[in-house]
Structures are given as structure tokens and as C-alpha cells.
């Protein structure tokens, strides 16, 4: 049984403020999914670090332990929400549709060699 998987490449234009011009990159369609997974991994790593520090402060009964506990709670809850959002988008039909739109926007930006929309007030 042979499984073939085709990868398509997308041109992406990113404005570089240092060069004052767009940088053009090639991304495969999977890059959008990989980015969401990477963002989730970063939040997981940060959560582990925050929990470790807070745990150590509590173990040593440091004066700031209670405050660090509050910071940890807020950070971990927000990170968990981001992780859930990123991983859900990586597998949902809404995420796939967003990726298609981002691909289209990127292709139009490359074809236009820059920002596509014109100012609606013609300024």
C-alpha cells in the first residue's frame, strides 16, 4: 500500500520594517498547523517553568510565594485557553478555512508585490 501526500507551497509576504520592504517566504500548507502546534508547545513549556518557580517559592516558604501563586494561576489559565484554541484550530474546519484564506491573502500580496487594499478614503 503506497501513500502519497502532496505538499503545496505558499508564498508569504512579510513586511520588514528594517528593510522597508516585504520579505517573501515559501510555506507549505502544513506550516499553519505547525505554527499552532509550536505556539501550544511554547505555552506548555512556559507553564512548566511558571509552575516550577511557584512550587519552589511555596516549598521554601518565601514571602512572595502567595503572590507568585496568583501570578501562576493567571498565567496557567490563560496559557491553557491559548493551547486549547490553537490545537482546536489546527484540526477544525474553521481553522482549515482560515488557513485557506491566509493562503489566498498571501498569494495576492506576493502577486501585488505588497499590500493589496487601497485606502477607502483615497488619502
Amino acid at each position: 500500500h503506497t501513500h502519497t501526500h502532496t505538499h503545496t507551497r505558499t508564498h508569504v509576504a512579510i513586511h520588514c520594517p528594517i528593510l522597508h520592504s516585504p520579505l517573501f517566504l515559501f510555506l507549505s500548507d502544513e506550516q499553519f498547523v505547525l505554527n499552532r502546534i509550536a505556539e501550544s508547545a511554547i505555552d506548555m513549556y512556559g507553564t512548566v517553568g511558571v509552575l516550577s518557580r511557584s512550587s519552589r517559592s511555596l516549598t521554601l516558604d518565601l514571602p512572595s510565594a502567595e503572590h507568585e501563586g496568583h501570578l501562576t494561576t493567571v498565567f496557567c489559565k490563560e496559557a491553557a485557553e491559548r493551547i486549547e484554541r490553537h490545537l482546536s484550530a489546527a484540526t477544525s474546519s474553521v481553522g482549515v478555512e482560515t488557513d485557506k484564506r491566509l493562503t489566498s491573502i498571501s498569494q495576492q500580496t506576493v502577486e501585488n508585490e505588497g499590500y493589496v487594499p487601497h485606502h477607502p478614503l483615497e488619502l
Side-chain angles (χ1 to χ4, degrees), residues 50-51 54-55 57-58 64-76:
V50 168
L51 286 168
S54 183
S55 174
S57 292
L58 285 169
S64 63
E66 183 179 353
H67 181 75
E68 289 188 48
H70 295 305
L71 291 171
T72 299
T73 300
V74 170
F75 180 87
C76 291

Side-chain angles (χ1 to χ4, degrees), residues 60-104:
L60 296 176
D61 198 26
L62 296 179
S64 63
E66 183 179 353
H67 181 75
E68 289 188 48
H70 295 305
L71 291 171
T72 299
T73 300
V74 170
F75 180 87
C76 291
K77 284 183 178 184
E78 288 184 350
E81 289 171 5
R82 288 189 301 269
I83 291 166
E84 183 177 346
R85 186 176 62 247
H86 286 303
L87 295 181
S88 292
T91 58
S92 73
S93 59
V94 173
V96 170
E97 186 59 36
T98 298
D99 293 349
K100 287 179 184 177
R101 285 191 178 131
L102 287 171
T103 298
S104 175

Side-chain angles (χ1 to χ4, degrees), residues 25-58:
L25 306 173
F26 297 98
L27 300 176
S28 70
D29 289 342
E30 289 78 16
Q31 285 298 113
F32 296 113
V33 174
L34 290 175
N35 183 59
R36 290 184 182 103
I37 293 169
E39 291 288 338
S40 297
I42 290 166
D43 269 328
M44 289 177 202
Y45 184 80
T47 298
V48 169
V50 168
L51 286 168
S52 176
R53 178 187 169 96
S54 183
S55 174
R56 181 73 174 155
S57 292
L58 285 169

